[in-house]
Amino acid sequence: MATYLIVGGVAGGAGVAARLRRRDEQAEIIIFERGEHISFANCGLPYYAGGVIEDRSSLFVMTPELFKRVLNVEARVNSEVVSVDRAQKKITVRNVKNDTTYVQAYDHLILSPGATPIRPPIPGIDHPSIMTLRSVGDIDRIKASIDRSETKRAVVIGGGFIGLEMAENLKHRGFDVSLVEALDQVMNVIDYDFAAQVQQHMRSKGVALHLKDPVKGFSEKDGAVLVELESGKVLETDLVILSIGVRPDTAFLKESGIVLSSTGAIVVDDYFTTSDPSIRALGDAICFTCPLTDHSITVPLAGPANKQARLLADALIDGNKRPYKGTIGTSIAKVFDLTVASTGLSEKTLVSSKLPYKSAVTHTSCHADYYPGSLPLSLKILFHPTTGKIWGAQAVGYEGVDKRIDVISAFIGMEGTVYDLAEFEHAYAPPFSSAKDPINMVGFIGMNALEGISNPISWKEVDRFIEQGAVILDPRSETETMAGGMLPGAINIPHTALRKRIAEVPRNRPIVITCAMGVRGYLAERILRGNGFTEVYNLTGGLRSYTTAKSELARLNQ
Ligand code: FAD
């Protein structure tokens, strides 16, 4: 009978224990969890703080008693593993309630200790009103602070998923919320043009954004916390949620000899085996090779941790038969009325990885425009400029964001190309989509780019073309250009009039076409190409992408 000891009893650890039991009825399986709870819904914590999830007990998916009764797995809570003796195959466990320790022997050790919120050494950071969010204990403290707050002021530091979810939930509780971010945008996993949409939506909901403005220090005044920013701004508040990222919770492994990366992540192979063959690891604490860049990455997400748990348990029982294919970081968040999701690589990662790419953007609708309730949906793909291999995708909208990103994630997993997106067959009726889904549309743009039918350029490239003397052609109607304005120096020839007025288009300079969303620009591009123009570019996503991003950039420089 094998003895499996598992460190960490939430997403990864509980998952391994459950699968192991289903595969091996005789094994001894013991989970050690430092906190008071196992298998709780950490992803639901912000919504409990906001009162959207009302019943605290619904956060607990499993209890130690239930684990024992249903799975015959022993879950020891308040039990922190403080060291690993690989030579003796033993761990030392500290009872956090009475500070006593004992030793437990293993045949196989499984590490799923997760990741801990980063608390940098900023002056004043230890103030009790500055809280991080990871555990049920954390959310109980945060919720108590929300409940007793009279002034209802909060500052959220960090514009990642958890920060944005907390900002929304604090707003939901009637708080004045300021969000502080050191970078020039929220949600660093998506690109600036899409983050700009999220930022505008957050401001429309009353969240004050302080971007590109890191925290310099915290101090206290009359019981309130003063958050001082690099810009010199000072925000007075009673509650600070610090959510600036996580790092692997692996300090207890430092002396173990298990190989860790420079960031403290546990290095594992395709079967989750660490540098010690008797020890495997999973979840937020591990690093592995990104299937798209070949770089070592950590991906602190619940989906991968849960799926890794099943694979890892199977590898323990069956041997190393089914390797882990890695994860491409598919993720999603609700930000007030918007949904924001991404999969695969962003432009930033492509640039830093020196991978060639092109982008295609559509601003369409979640379903047929003529069917009631149609809402805007923006979708962007990044793809290899010659093979069409999809690198990544991002979407922002009100409905149907999840299905578009999930589909593209599946294509990326199968090394799909823009041709696959163009041909993708979807379930269509007007309440659900359009006959040509936004996924097909970005696929068409990508395919046209690959085949030289069209040359889409991104909002970032337009200014460079203008500096180099390109002609800016705006193919919208006169009424539209008069109402919305054009780029400086642009000439307006509506695409419907372009054939007749083709002589007005200079032939000796590159031409960049800028319409509202990129569709009429494409039509105009085809007319020009059909009339012998060769150096023609169409702004993908149109002025909608350009002006959204540019107006956010302008705010930064105010
Ligand atoms: P965890 O689930 O964190 O479990 C690790 C456990 O190990 C912890 O309970 C810890 O106490 C315990 N532990 C650590 N060290 C020791 C030790 N030495 N001895 C004993 N026990 C130890 N992901 C998504 O994909 N979608 C979301 O919407 C989402 N929302 C989130 C919201 C919040 C507020 C948080 C905190 C996370 C969210 N995540 C989300 C991330 C997701 O929860 C994690 O990716 C996932 O839980 C990782 O699983 P894990 O097993 O690696 O770590």
Side-chain angles (χ1 to χ4, degrees):
M1 182 182 74
T3 297
Y4 299 99
L5 302 189
I6 301 173
V7 183
V10 190
V16 170
R19 179 70 175 171
L20 270 178
R21 173 56 76 225
R22 286 184 207 114
R23 297 295 318 275
D24 184 348
E25 184 58 22
Q26 308 308 324
E28 183 182 27
I29 306 169
I30 309 174
I31 295 175
F32 299 87
E33 168 53 54
R34 182 175 54 204
E36 282 199 34
H37 307 277
I38 59 157
S39 203
F40 62 88
N42 24 24
C43 308
L45 299 180
Y47 301 98
Y48 173 61
V52 178
I53 298 174
E54 290 176 5
D55 180 5
R56 183 175 179 276
S57 67
S58 62
L59 295 173
F60 305 111
V61 184
M62 272 277 183
T63 60
E65 297 71 35
L66 209 53
F67 238 79
K68 184 71 190 163
R69 191 148 39 90
V70 176
L71 291 163
N72 189 25
V73 168
E74 189 183 343
R76 298 186 193 166
V77 292
N78 300 310
S79 302
E80 179 180 18
V81 176
V82 289
S83 62
V84 177
D85 180 345
R86 294 190 302 117
Q88 301 291 322
K89 292 182 100 173
K90 284 178 181 163
I91 58 173
T92 301
V93 185
R94 182 176 78 92
N95 180 325
V96 300
K97 290 275 181 199
N98 60 20
D99 207 21
T100 55
T101 58
Y102 61 94
V103 166
Q104 189 89 31
Y106 63 84
D107 296 316
H108 299 276
L109 180 64
I110 297 126
L111 307 170
S112 193
T116 188
I118 295 170
R119 268 189 107 95
I122 300 172
I125 199 159
D126 293 328
H127 191 285
S129 297
I130 302 171
M131 305 191 199
T132 54
L133 173 54
R134 181 185 186 189
S135 65
V136 177
D138 295 336
I139 206 66
D140 284 342
R141 276 186 292 279
I142 291 171
K143 189 157 185 298
S145 174
I146 292 172
D147 291 343
R148 70 170 174 260
S149 173
E150 285 171 8
T151 54
K152 294 199 178 297
R153 297 173 301 189
V155 173
V156 176
I157 300 171
F161 291 101
I162 296 174
L164 297 197
E165 287 175 358
M166 280 309 297
E168 177 185 342
N169 279 286
L170 283 159
K171 261 299 188 196
H172 195 67
R173 295 290 306 269
F175 272 61
D176 267 344
V177 181
S178 297
L179 187 128
V180 175
E181 169 58 62
L183 299 174
D184 59 1
Q185 65 166 86
V186 299
M187 297 198 111
N188 198 30
V189 293
I190 61 173
D191 293 323
Y192 194 81
D193 45 340
F194 273 46
Q197 291 193 46
V198 180
Q199 288 162 196
Q200 292 181 353
H201 184 68
M202 291 184 78
R203 278 195 212 97
S204 78
K205 295 290 177 181
V207 177
L209 297 182
H210 303 272
L211 304 172
K212 211 177 173 184
D213 204 355
V215 176
K216 200 170 162 192
F218 301 97
S219 55
E220 190 180 303
K221 186 187 151 204
D222 304 331
V225 181
L226 301 181
V227 185
E228 193 189 340
L229 308 184
E230 291 283 355
S231 63
K233 282 184 219 160
V234 177
L235 310 173
E236 188 172 326
T237 186
D238 308 301
L239 171 63
V240 177
I241 306 291
L242 185 70
S243 179
I244 56 171
V246 294
R247 60 174 168 68
D249 196 354
T250 53
F252 72 108
L253 298 173
K254 285 235 165 75
E255 309 299 321
S256 69
I258 295 169
V259 173
L260 304 178
S261 74
S262 58
T263 59
I266 306 166
V267 178
V268 295
D269 68 10
D270 291 348
Y271 301 93
F272 308 101
T273 310
T274 67
S275 53
D276 182 319
S278 302
I279 304 176
R280 301 200 191 214
L282 74 160
D284 290 2
I286 62 167
C287 60
F288 50 84
T289 306
C290 169
L292 294 169
T293 63
D294 285 342
H295 296 165
S296 175
I297 53 167
T298 54
V299 179
L301 288 171
N306 277 275
K307 285 156 216 162
Q308 290 163 9
R310 186 180 166 92
L311 274 173
L312 189 157
D314 285 352
L316 282 168
I317 302 294
D318 302 329
N320 293 344
K321 288 192 179 149
R322 199 175 309 136
Y324 183 51
K325 291 188 192 143
T327 159
I328 54 171
T330 307
S331 57
I332 191 162
K334 173 181 173 315
V335 185
F336 295 94
D337 304 335
L338 277 186
T339 308
V340 190
S342 71
T343 181
L345 306 180
S346 65
E347 280 194 70
K348 257 171 289 190
T349 322
L350 286 160
V351 169
S352 64
S353 306
K354 297 190 171 62
L355 291 168
Y357 71 94
K358 264 190 108 60
S359 62
V361 177
T362 58
H363 301 291
T364 50
S365 308
C366 61
H367 61 242
D369 286 328
Y370 59 81
Y371 186 84
S374 171
L375 292 165
L377 176 90
S378 300
L379 180 63
K380 170 177 182 174
I381 55 163
L382 299 150
F383 56 95
H384 192 286
T386 52
T387 65
K389 176 179 165 168
I390 314 156
W391 291 126
Q394 302 162 27
V396 174
Y398 299 83
E399 268 179 29
V401 165
D402 50 350
K403 77 168 167 177
R404 271 65 188 217
I405 289 300
D406 285 346
V407 165
I408 299 178
S409 162
F411 276 120
I412 296 175
M414 292 184 288
E415 301 192 10
T417 66
V418 292
Y419 295 97
D420 296 310
L421 300 185
E423 287 161 26
F424 158 64
E425 182 179 329
H426 64 298
Y428 162 64
F432 304 101
S433 178
S434 299
K436 285 181 278 193
D437 190 82
I439 291 176
N440 300 132
M441 298 305 289
V442 282
F444 296 153
I445 300 171
M447 212 176 127
N448 282 342
L450 248 55
E451 296 182 346
I453 294 168
S454 168
N455 200 349
I457 59 165
S458 88
W459 68 275
K460 278 185 188 166
E461 296 173 274
V462 172
D463 289 357
R464 182 169 48 82
F465 274 101
I466 294 175
E467 279 160 26
Q468 290 169 359
V471 175
I472 304 296
L473 175 66
D474 194 318
R476 294 175 295 163
S477 70
E478 269 173 42
T479 336
E480 267 179 286
T481 54
M482 277 162 69
M486 300 192 292
L487 291 185
I491 54 171
N492 174 222
I493 307 177
H495 73 99
T496 46
L498 190 54
R499 288 186 183 88
K500 277 193 191 140
R501 294 174 56 186
I502 203 107
E504 294 174 38
V505 185
R507 286 197 174 259
N508 55 350
R509 286 154 64 192
I511 295 157
V512 172
I513 311 177
T514 60
C515 71
M517 311 278 196
V519 180
R520 282 169 290 174
Y522 166 60
L523 301 179
E525 181 187 5
R526 289 305 307 153
I527 293 171
L528 291 181
R529 286 184 185 277
N531 282 280
F533 290 80
T534 48
E535 215 184 328
V536 190
Y537 305 88
N538 181 34
L539 171 59
T540 189
L543 290 168
R544 169 87 195 276
S545 286
Y546 181 87
T547 50
T548 310
K550 287 296 238 181
S551 63
E552 282 299 295
L553 280 173
R555 269 180 166 275
L556 276 182
N557 300 324
Q558 272 170 11

